[in-house]
Amino acid sequence: GPHSGQPGAAEVWRTLVHCSAVVGMHPDGATEAIVDFALASGKPFAVVPCCVYSAYFPTRRDNRGKRVTSYTAFVKCLRRQHTDRLPRVSLARSHR
């Protein structure tokens, strides 16, 4: 809010509406919201999912109705929700 040093909801919304792209690096529980907002607003986006947070999203289910509790299942769930609009790019990992 105005006295906390944090932006208020109106300022956050203005920033989101006027941004040219949406990026989520280790976005914790915001992963799905980032994807949903970017797709709904037509903005290009990149998201690197991290933690699944299955306890915070107990209704998130895979295509067999099983709770999504693993990273692999979470990525599959995101892709299934937006099959026709969600490209996937894998980045090479350094083995240091």
Side-chain angles (χ1 to χ4, degrees):
H3 302 292
S4 69
Q6 299 294 318
E11 183 179 350
V12 170
W13 181 249
R14 278 192 302 276
T15 300
L16 290 172
V17 167
H18 293 100
C19 72
S20 58
V22 183
V23 178
M25 301 296 290
H26 205 288
D28 293 333
T31 302
E32 284 180 279
I34 291 168
V35 172
D36 292 343
F37 172 78
L39 290 173
S41 63
K43 296 185 182 293
F45 72 97
V47 66
V48 179
C50 57
C51 307
V52 177
Y53 283 91
S54 59
Y56 292 107
F57 299 96
T59 60
R60 188 187 291 145
R61 305 287 173 172
D62 67 13
N63 59 347
R64 294 175 290 164
K66 184 179 175 188
R67 282 190 66 216
V68 174
T69 58
S70 73
Y71 180 84
T72 300
F74 181 40
V75 171
K76 285 180 182 178
C77 183
L78 285 170
R79 293 195 41 81
R80 188 181 79 247
Q81 289 172 356
H82 305 288
T83 302
D84 58 335
R85 302 176 4 176
L86 192 60
R88 179 179 178 188
V89 176
S90 295
L91 303 174
R93 289 191 250 172
S94 172
H95 295 285
R96 292 191 238 182

